[in-house]
Structure formats: structure tokens, C-alpha cells
Amino acid sequence: MELTAILLAGLLVFAAVATFVAVFRDGRGHTPPVRSTRPWMAGNLPSEPYATLRTLR
């Protein structure tokens, strides 16, 4: 009985450590790449909504 409890506790510790290692190796989540291109333009229409441009001024 004690052996089963020790094995179960060891398995839980191993699972917790493996989870943390996987999360840290992944970079703590998905981050989108930085865009290196200019915003698109369609004639005189900007790529951002008018309301966004208005709040920045």
C-alpha cells in the first residue's frame, strides 16, 4: 500500500515538472510575430478605422 502511494506521489511530481518544462519551453504562450510591412492603403482609405485615428490625436 505504501509503495503504491509513493509511486503515485512520484508520478504526480513528475507530471507537474513535465508540465512546467513544457510551458516554459513553449515560450509561455503564443505571441504573434512583429509585422515588418507597412499598413495597407486602398487609395485614400487608411488601414485603421477613423475612430482609432481620431483618439490618438
Side-chain angles (χ1 to χ4, degrees):
M1 185 68 170
E2 293 84 16
L3 181 63
T4 305
I6 292 171
L7 289 175
L8 183 60
L11 180 64
L12 289 175
V13 169
F14 176 76
V17 170
T19 301
F20 284 118
V21 168
V23 168
F24 289 136
R25 189 173 290 157
D26 185 37
R28 297 185 178 128
H30 171 72
T31 55
V34 177
R35 294 179 58 180
S36 63
T37 58
R38 294 184 52 174
W40 59 268
M41 298 289 285
N44 292 335
L45 300 174
S47 61
E48 298 180 27
Y50 174 72
T52 302
L53 296 173
R54 209 172 111 197
T55 59
L56 294 176
R57 293 182 186 183

